[in-house]
């Protein structure tokens, strides 16, 4: 069994993002659905490619999200009338649908309407906005036969959410729910159902009841419909997610509670509880110990630096490599009870878990 197979196929989504999907729409308007796809995609890639830049092609992104490469490679509609100037960095024009979304994620914060409070030890993190990307590289000047490669580095805020502030998301169901008309509404509902499952499983439960109005809101269904038609619309979207997106759950409608139906949801046990716990322990110990090493060796030397993130810059550098490798080996052994040899640990650090 290869080392990457020890990790589940469930992705991670920052809790602040999962709780504020409407704010992605507000912050990124016509690109919102693509931005959410990218966040889900890159969060899954981080599970096996945590160090340095994450490299991928447009084909990789489309295979993971169900998007069509031809559509993402087109010139963004905002530039078609020639009135808006195409962003350009060192001769590289960010004018395609995908490239323009990337540059927007670098330049614009995701602003939250509902402030997210996060406990970190004895500290409270007050979140009103986060960056998504810190850096983007492309193989500029490539030959016509070469594939465009993207190297992206996510922001420290996204890494922090990945390590300790997250919900587990069914990325395959998210992808399959994104096929055809109404993709954004179905995908939002998949995220909501994933969050519910995560919370229930953390409490040792598998079922709950939810007011139909909440599901309608999460699925973008107008609540102005009659009770019968609202129930029918909810029924159709839940059947789609269950049968075509293969999200493992069952549901049935309960009688009136006040003025609204309730939907009883039962999530099938994924038998991944212990795997998810090992994953969490691995990533949390790995990043915590790396931060401790960085603070011990460089405390105070980076306080006056305003550009970039000193820890992240150190993380992707070759500095203190032997100590980083040792921390990786110890974290892996503690989480999975497996001793990595030096060669495998070095390959993981340089190339990611899926390259072994």
């Amino acid at each position: 069994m290869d080392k990457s197979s020890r990790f589940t196929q469930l992705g991670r989504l920052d809790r602040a993002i999962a709780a504020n999907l409407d704010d992605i729409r507000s912050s990124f308007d016509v690109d919102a659905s693509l931005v959410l796809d990218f966040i889900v995609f890159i969060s899954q890639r981080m599970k096996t490619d945590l160090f340095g830049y994450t490299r991928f092609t447009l084909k990789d992104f489309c295979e993971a999200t169900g998007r069509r490469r031809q559509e993402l490679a087109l010139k963004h509609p905002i530039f078609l009338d020639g009135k808006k100037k195409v962003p350009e960095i060192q001769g590289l024009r960010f004018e395609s649908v995908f490239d323009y979304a990337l540059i927007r994620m670098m330049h614009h914060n995701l602003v939250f309407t509902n402030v997210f409070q996060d406990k970190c030890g004895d500290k409270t993190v007050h979140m009103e906005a986060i960056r998504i990307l810190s850096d983007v590289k492309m193989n500029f000047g490539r030959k016509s036969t070469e594939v465009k490669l993207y190297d992206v580095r996510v922001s420290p805020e996204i890494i922090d959410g990945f390590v300790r502030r997250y919900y587990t998301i069914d990325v395959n169901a998210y992808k399959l729910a994104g096929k055809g008309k109404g993709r954004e509404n179905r995908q939002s509902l998949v995220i909501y159902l994933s969050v519910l499952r995560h919370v229930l499983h953390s409490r040792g439960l598998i079922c709950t009841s939810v007011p139909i109005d909440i599901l309608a809101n999460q699925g973008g269904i107008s609540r102005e419909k009659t009770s019968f038609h609202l129930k029918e619309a909810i029924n159709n979207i839940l059947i789609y997610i269950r049968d075509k997106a293969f999200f493992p759950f069952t549901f049935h409608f309960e009688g009136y509670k006040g003025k609204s139906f309730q939907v009883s949801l039962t999530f099938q046990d994924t038998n991944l509880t212990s795997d998810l716990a090992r994953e969490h322990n691995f990533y949390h110990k790995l990043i915590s110990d790396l931060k401790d090493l960085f603070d011990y060796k460089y405390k105070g030397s980076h306080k006056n630096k305003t550009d970039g993130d000193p820890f992240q810059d150190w993380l992707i550098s070759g500095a203190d490599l032997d100590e980083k490798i040792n921390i990786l080996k110890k974290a892996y052994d503690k989480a999975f009870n497996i001793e990595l040899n030096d060669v495998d640990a070095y390959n993981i650090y340089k190339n990611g878990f899926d390259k072994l």
Side-chain angles (χ1 to χ4, degrees), residues 88-277:
E88 187 171 333
I89 300 177
Q90 297 183 349
L92 183 62
R93 292 166 60 85
F94 291 79
E95 63 180 347
S96 74
V97 170
F98 187 75
D99 292 356
Y100 183 62
L102 285 183
I103 200 72
R104 291 191 72 186
M105 284 186 276
M106 278 190 62
H107 289 169
H108 299 282
N109 284 348
L110 177 54
V111 180
F112 300 132
T113 302
N114 298 314
V115 175
F116 187 85
Q117 300 288 347
D118 178 27
K119 285 287 185 181
C120 178
D122 59 351
K123 298 179 181 179
T124 298
V125 180
H126 180 92
M127 299 183 66
E128 292 183 328
I130 63 172
R131 291 182 298 159
I132 298 174
L133 291 178
S134 292
D135 198 7
V136 175
K137 294 181 179 179
M138 294 183 230
N139 54 335
F140 180 59
R142 64 191 181 282
K143 298 177 182 178
S144 59
T145 56
E146 288 184 278
V147 175
K148 182 188 285 189
L149 296 175
Y150 295 90
D151 289 293
V152 303
R153 184 158 57 123
V154 299
S155 71
E157 297 95 323
I158 292 292
I159 290 179
D160 193 49
F162 172 86
V163 171
R164 64 182 183 83
R165 187 186 62 244
Y166 64 89
Y167 291 119
T168 52
I169 303 297
D170 190 322
V171 291
N172 188 56
Y174 177 88
K175 169 187 174 180
L176 295 175
K179 294 185 177 181
K181 186 178 179 180
R183 59 169 289 140
E184 185 177 354
N185 292 334
R186 290 192 299 270
Q187 288 179 319
S188 295
L189 194 50
V190 166
I191 288 176
Y192 177 74
L193 293 173
S194 292
V195 169
L196 273 183
R197 182 175 65 180
H198 179 110
V199 173
L200 287 170
H201 282 185
S202 69
R203 298 172 180 171
L205 304 172
I206 62 171
C207 60
T208 188
S209 292
V210 179
I212 196 172
D213 287 347
I214 292 179
L215 292 178
N217 182 60
Q218 295 294 331
I221 299 170
S222 173
R223 284 175 286 178
E224 294 180 359
K225 294 177 179 286
T226 65
S227 295
F228 172 80
H229 289 101
L230 182 59
K231 178 183 175 182
E232 185 179 41
I234 293 293
N235 185 66
N236 289 339
I237 194 171
L238 290 177
I239 287 176
Y240 188 104
I241 291 172
R242 184 193 65 192
D243 296 348
K244 294 188 177 180
F246 302 110
F247 191 94
F249 77 109
T250 59
F251 70 94
H252 68 267
F253 291 88
E254 298 175 336
Y256 276 99
K257 297 288 183 69
K259 294 184 179 180
S260 178
F261 278 108
Q262 298 270 328
V263 182
S264 176
L265 301 164
T266 300
F267 299 97
Q268 297 174 19
D269 190 352
T270 59
N271 297 316
L272 293 175
T273 302
S274 59
D275 293 335
L276 291 170

